[in-house]
């Protein structure tokens, strides 16, 4: 983003990885908390011509890519995608995704996608963000190198983003539905300044979350919302 502000035109696919966090942040202005060193923290630039309504499903493709990476034989971690932009192991958040950017030309979008994966244990992280978290080293019981893991993660991301870009959201929806976290559980979705509650049914045709109210009515929650209170 800084290079763009300086008038440069960095290429799509450019990756910036951080060895030590200084100003991490998440959605809704929240702070992103990482271990002093040892977590996977990077952003990449993505630019392409795409329908505006499809842009909101890019974080879903990225979450699925992270989930694929965690399931690789080198890790063997069973993770789930929490709509719209987290990856969880059990009920513990292990990855967050933040997408920023917008339209830069006729039908062309330029986005910066930030991804953080908890590799090391960070004392107090759960209390600081007010929810359970997880990290790979505690799950696997061994020391891990983020530099060595990053290439495998990028390959998994590239595969899912390519699948999404070529086939659209419909190409990833079945796999996403299969690993969606929270199906059958009660949840509250934040919609701007309001909230609505229901039981998670699944993912809709356009990447929206489907909640079933007590009346039986199914409502669709757009991806600009946040899911909380499980």
């Amino acid at each position: 983003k800084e290079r763009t502000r300086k008038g440069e035109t960095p290429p799509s696919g450019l990756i910036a990885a951080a060895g030590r966090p200084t100003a991490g942040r998440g959605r809704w202005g929240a702070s992103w908390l990482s271990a002093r060193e040892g977590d996977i923290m990077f952003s990449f630039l993505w630019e392409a011509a795409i329908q505006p309504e499809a842009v909101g499903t890019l974080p879903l493709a990225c979450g699925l890519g992270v989930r694929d990476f965690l399931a690789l034989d080198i890790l063997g971690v069973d993770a789930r995608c929490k709509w719209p932009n987290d990856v969880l192991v059990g009920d513990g958040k292990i990855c967050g995704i933040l997408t920023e950017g917008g339209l830069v030309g006729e039908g062309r979008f330029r986005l910066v996608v930030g991804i953080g994966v908890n590799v090391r244990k960070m004392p107090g992280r759960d209390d600081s963000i007010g929810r359970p978290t997880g990290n790979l080293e505690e799950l696997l019981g061994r020391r891990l190198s983020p530099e060595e893991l990053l290439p495998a993660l990028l390959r998994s991301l590239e595969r899912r983003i390519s699948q999404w870009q070529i086939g659209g959201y419909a190409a990833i929806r079945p796999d996403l539905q299969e690993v969606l976290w929270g199906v059958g559980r009660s949840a509250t979705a934040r919609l701007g300044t309001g909230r609505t509650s229901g039981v998670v049914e699944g993912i809709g045709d356009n990447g929206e979350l489907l909640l079933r109210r007590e009346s039986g009515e199914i409502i669709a929650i757009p991806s600009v919302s946040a899911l909380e209170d499980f």
Side-chain angles (χ1 to χ4, degrees):
K1 288 168 63 178
E2 183 63 28
R3 289 176 62 173
T4 300
R5 283 194 289 266
K6 290 179 178 178
E8 300 179 38
T9 307
S12 181
L14 177 70
I15 298 161
R20 189 181 295 258
T22 57
R25 60 193 178 86
R27 299 182 88 210
W28 306 91
S31 297
W32 176 266
L33 299 175
S34 293
R36 184 169 175 81
E37 58 183 16
D39 284 346
I40 296 175
M41 298 165 288
F42 69 99
S43 297
F44 68 89
L45 182 67
W46 179 85
E47 184 174 339
I50 192 170
Q51 294 297 319
E53 59 270 19
V55 172
T57 61
L58 176 57
L60 298 175
C62 292
L64 199 53
V66 173
R67 189 265 166 195
D68 291 346
F69 157 73
L70 294 173
L72 292 174
D73 289 342
I74 58 172
L75 297 174
V77 173
D78 183 18
R80 293 290 182 268
C81 295
K82 179 178 181 249
W83 181 95
N85 62 334
D86 291 340
V87 180
L88 275 60
V89 176
D91 287 339
K93 179 176 177 177
I94 201 166
C95 170
I97 299 166
L98 177 67
T99 304
E100 299 177 293
L103 192 66
V104 292
E106 188 173 345
R108 194 164 190 87
F109 286 81
R110 181 183 297 144
L111 303 172
V112 175
V113 182
I115 297 178
V117 180
N118 299 335
V119 177
R120 301 266 164 87
K121 180 179 181 179
M122 178 184 171
R125 179 156 42 193
D126 293 24
D127 292 337
S128 296
I129 70 170
R131 58 174 296 178
T133 64
N135 65 85
L136 288 175
E137 289 189 343
E138 282 193 310
L139 286 168
L140 300 177
R142 65 178 190 268
R143 195 75 166 172
L144 297 168
S145 164
E147 291 85 0
E148 293 177 3
L149 292 174
L150 184 57
L153 173 52
L154 293 176
R155 286 191 293 270
S156 293
L157 280 171
E158 183 177 32
R159 173 178 168 266
R160 284 300 186 178
I161 291 172
S162 295
Q163 182 186 22
W164 167 82
Q165 193 165 346
I166 294 169
Y169 165 70
I172 65 168
R173 183 186 176 190
D175 289 345
L176 185 63
Q177 179 69 40
E178 187 176 335
V179 298
L180 184 65
W181 183 84
V183 174
R185 296 174 66 167
S186 296
T188 298
R190 181 168 67 181
L191 295 162
T193 58
R195 284 170 168 76
T196 186
S197 299
V199 174
V200 177
E201 288 285 307
I203 299 285
D205 293 338
N206 298 302
E208 68 275 35
L209 184 74
L210 303 179
L211 291 182
R212 176 171 47 82
R213 288 179 167 161
E214 192 172 338
S215 64
E217 176 191 10
I218 302 293
I219 58 173
I221 309 298
S223 61
V224 293
S225 310
L227 198 61
E228 54 190 33
D229 298 338
F230 273 90

